[in-house]
Amino acid sequence: MTKQLAFLGLGVMGAPMTANLVRQGYTVKGWNRTFNRPGVEIAQNAGAIIVSSIQEAVETADIVFTCVGDVPDVEEVILGEQGVVNFAQPNTLIVDFSTIGSKAAIKIGEELKKHNLRFMDAPISGGDIGAQKGTLTIMVGGNEKDFQECFPYFEAMGKTIRLCGPVGSGQAVKLCNQVLVSGYMVALCEAIEMAKKQGIDPNLMIEVCSTGAAGSWALANLGPKITASDYNPGFMIKHILKDLRLVKETLNGELDQIPGVELAARLFQIVAEMDNGEGANLGTQGMIRAYQKP
């Protein structure tokens, strides 16, 4: 029997994910904190039922998906006074796609258990392109039974779907992912600058290097955006900075072990402070501006 679904958070990622669920024939009630956003229109045009409150979204749902920002946002949407915990039916499965770190995920899961609600953390990777195409990587923390129940819905949104362990394990893998993608961005920006210094067309470099050992998703997808000065966000700098903050918190400040994270965070922060702070809203490929700063 088809489950009743709710999706809370219709942003750059949540909107196309909701749209993909609807295209697979699922009925989804969607909610966003701010109604007048492009993502709301995207979800609505795909056939999602847009509602004005969390209560209206979740009170009849079997599975509730959330995709918002930082730890306080997730806690407010799930555990707050007007949050999911107050309106969901007993045994409802709550699945959070946000990146919040293992400690926060475990805490939320334990609190929901007190209210006879189930929880899985399921952070995602693949950017806006992956969300639009339904090819996201979904890293899940939870138990096997809940994972299997949710698997058909994950398949509507993602391509690589892996149960990584108990609640919090998806977050653990996602933070490793963010260490990798932030390092890739440093390397990509420096390769482009290296090409320019030698009189080589950066687009030629990207085309050739994408076919060899240096090939990566970042090189193929974000490299051309950098050369076109296209900094529209698939994933904002302020969000990667939040994720790298979670990495630091997880390591308790032991950054001597991973100096690459320190470097990437410093470069992202330089750009975030540009244009009176508006640089924080650029896509992560905007890191290149740190290398171009006078």
Side-chain angles (χ1 to χ4, degrees):
M1 185 175 66
T2 302
K3 305 284 187 181
Q4 295 294 310
L5 308 179
F7 204 112
L8 312 180
L10 303 176
V12 171
M13 302 296 285
M17 292 167 73
T18 299
N20 284 331
L21 284 167
V22 175
R23 292 186 188 112
Q24 292 300 312
Y26 301 123
T27 300
V28 186
K29 288 184 178 179
W31 171 86
N32 199 58
R33 282 177 291 189
T34 306
F35 185 80
N36 186 23
R37 286 287 187 271
V40 175
E41 184 176 355
I42 289 170
Q44 191 168 36
N45 288 344
I49 302 165
I50 304 301
V51 298
S52 59
S53 69
I54 291 176
Q55 177 178 357
E56 191 176 353
V58 310
E59 60 187 357
T60 60
D62 300 295
I63 300 175
V64 176
F65 298 112
T66 59
C67 188
V68 289
D70 206 341
V71 176
D73 305 300
V74 179
E75 290 180 338
E76 179 184 357
V77 166
I78 295 179
L79 303 176
E81 289 184 7
Q82 298 300 316
V84 175
V85 70
N86 299 297
F87 306 113
Q89 296 299 312
N91 204 43
T92 298
L93 176 58
I94 293 93
V95 182
D96 180 45
F97 291 120
S98 317
T99 300
I100 57 174
S102 298
K103 292 179 181 178
I106 292 169
K107 176 185 173 184
I108 290 170
E110 290 175 345
E111 188 62 31
L112 288 174
K113 190 180 295 184
K114 297 176 185 177
H115 296 268
N116 195 24
L117 296 169
R118 298 174 290 152
F119 180 71
M120 291 196 297
D121 61 295
I124 50 181
S125 181
D128 60 331
I129 296 171
Q132 292 159 15
K133 293 183 176 180
T135 57
L136 292 169
T137 294
I138 307 176
M139 299 154 265
V140 186
N143 68 53
E144 179 72 29
K145 183 179 179 181
D146 292 342
F147 177 73
Q148 292 302 330
E149 178 182 337
C150 206
F151 194 80
Y153 309 107
F154 286 148
E155 281 192 310
M157 299 177 280
K159 182 178 180 181
T160 301
I161 304 152
R162 184 66 60 85
L163 179 62
C164 302
V167 170
S169 300
Q171 294 292 336
V173 176
K174 177 60 186 291
L175 290 188
C176 296
N177 185 86
Q178 299 309 77
V179 170
L180 288 165
V181 298
S182 61
Y184 291 159
M185 189 53 63
V186 173
L188 174 55
C189 291
E190 295 189 358
I192 287 174
E193 290 300 298
M194 184 71 175
K196 291 178 181 177
K197 292 292 184 184
Q198 298 178 102
I200 298 294
D201 180 358
N203 288 303
L204 172 66
M205 179 276 294
I206 291 167
E207 179 185 349
V208 174
C209 292
S210 291
T211 65
S216 69
W217 185 95
L219 182 61
N221 289 279
L222 298 181
K225 288 190 175 185
I226 291 176
T227 60
S229 299
D230 176 3
Y231 306 133
N232 289 321
F235 189 66
M236 292 183 184
I237 283 177
K238 64 182 179 183
H239 293 147
I240 190 68
L241 281 170
K242 178 263 295 183
D243 292 351
L244 295 181
R245 187 202 81 220
L246 291 169
V247 170
K248 296 177 187 179
E249 291 173 357
T250 301
L251 293 171
N252 295 317
E254 298 173 4
L255 281 175
D256 56 317
Q257 298 178 13
I258 47 170
V261 168
E262 179 88 31
L263 173 60
R266 180 164 57 83
L267 292 169
F268 282 127
Q269 187 61 42
I270 289 172
V271 181
E273 294 173 0
M274 291 180 176
D275 303 326
N276 297 316
E278 286 300 313
N281 295 316
L282 299 179
T284 52
Q285 69 272 21
M287 179 192 276
I288 194 69
R289 293 189 63 194
Y291 290 87
Q292 299 167 345
K293 187 179 179 183

